[in-house]
Amino acid sequence: MPTLPPHGTNPTDRPMTTAATTTLRFGRLLLTGAAGGLGKVLRPRLKACCDILRVSDIADLGTAAPGEEVRPAPLQDKAAVMALLEGVEAVIHLGGVSTEHAFEVVLPANIVGTYHVYEAARVHGTRRIVFASSNHVTGFYKQSETIDATQPQRPDGYYGLSKAFGENLAQFYWDRYGIETVSLRIGSSFPEPTDRRMLASWLSYDDMERLVIAALSAPVVEHTVVYGMSDNPLTWWDNTPARHIGYRPQDSSATHRAGVEARQPHVDPKNPVAIYQGGGFVTKGPF
Ligand code: 15L
């Protein structure tokens, strides 16, 4: 059943895998935020690589498909999150708010909630978490810069700050308790890129699946931060420091470029949306 190596080991007899080819099977996986945009995409795809997929959200999750356990739970309820992680091998933590909001909205769902997930992982001995971070952790870098995940965080709002907190929490739980995390700084994961910014930040759904499977199955990750992007010819993010997780994107925004440019022929270079990597998020608020 469990396929993750014990903490501190680096087995050489297990091949790296990709979404398309993985034969890796987990016992029970937990997907939080399963009723959200990316949760709905990942739910059927993750079911293919585990015996039981436990899905959670505060929004309606529908009925359980074969091999699923449906467990609604508010992330700010510590007891509920404790129960959620019982018997879980690894967590894909997408839960919380996914766009910019007032701090009072972000705090319970993203900051307190993510703390509860890590505390529950510590208590139950869960060994790996795939954390849905965001490109908005570094949204105040300019689109004229190329950065990698080793550069200082520059969040572009309270949402980005909450994801920066989540990444720091992940680092702490690795250093202190040996719980491994891959923090995915997801770009724009939609069916296709719809504006010029997304030509750089787009992550196709298939590449999103490849990224999550790589994050779950790489033998040793400690705490790795990786940008979630497809193989876009135009990009601000260099994923070289995270190559060890074995993520190899196979889609590209190039095939959508002509359509995007026809729909959005002009960009005002003085508009902050076109200056900063975080796009429109940098102009939200104050609340
Ligand atoms: C995010 O983090 C959001 O969750 C998503 O809705 C998009 O807005 C994305 O960033 C983006 O930057 O395009």
Side-chain angles (χ1 to χ4, degrees), residues 80-227:
V81 177
M82 271 301 159
L84 204 53
L85 267 81
E86 195 172 358
V88 160
E89 196 174 332
V91 181
I92 302 93
H93 179 42
L94 309 185
V97 296
S98 62
T99 53
E100 180 64 339
H101 289 279
F103 183 70
E104 290 75 10
V105 176
V106 171
L107 177 68
N110 289 23
I111 295 182
V112 177
T114 302
Y115 161 69
H116 288 162
V117 169
Y118 275 87
E119 262 304 280
R122 179 186 66 75
V123 167
H124 292 300
T126 310
R127 298 227 306 277
R128 188 171 296 185
I129 296 175
V130 177
F131 171 55
S133 183
S134 170
N135 73 92
H136 295 286
V137 168
T138 49
F140 261 123
Y141 282 95
K142 291 189 172 161
Q143 295 184 12
S144 56
E145 296 173 278
T146 301
I147 58 171
D148 68 39
T150 66
Q151 280 165 260
Q153 300 169 332
R154 291 180 75 174
D156 58 23
Y158 299 117
Y159 167 69
L161 279 161
S162 76
K163 296 298 185 180
F165 173 81
E167 290 185 5
N168 290 331
L169 196 68
Q171 185 65 48
F172 169 69
Y173 273 81
W174 163 251
D175 289 334
R176 180 68 180 83
Y177 300 114
I179 297 170
E180 290 197 302
T181 296
V182 180
S183 290
L184 312 179
R185 287 186 182 167
I186 299 168
S188 308
S189 196
F190 296 101
E192 58 181 60
T194 54
D195 60 25
R196 286 192 182 235
R197 174 177 171 271
M198 286 195 206
L199 292 176
S201 61
W202 187 55
L203 173 67
S204 73
Y205 287 158
D206 286 350
D207 280 342
M208 174 72 190
E209 178 190 353
R210 290 182 186 101
L211 180 58
V212 170
I213 296 295
L216 282 170
S217 57
V220 175
V221 298
E222 301 190 357
H223 176 222
T224 297
V225 182
V226 59
Y227 282 91

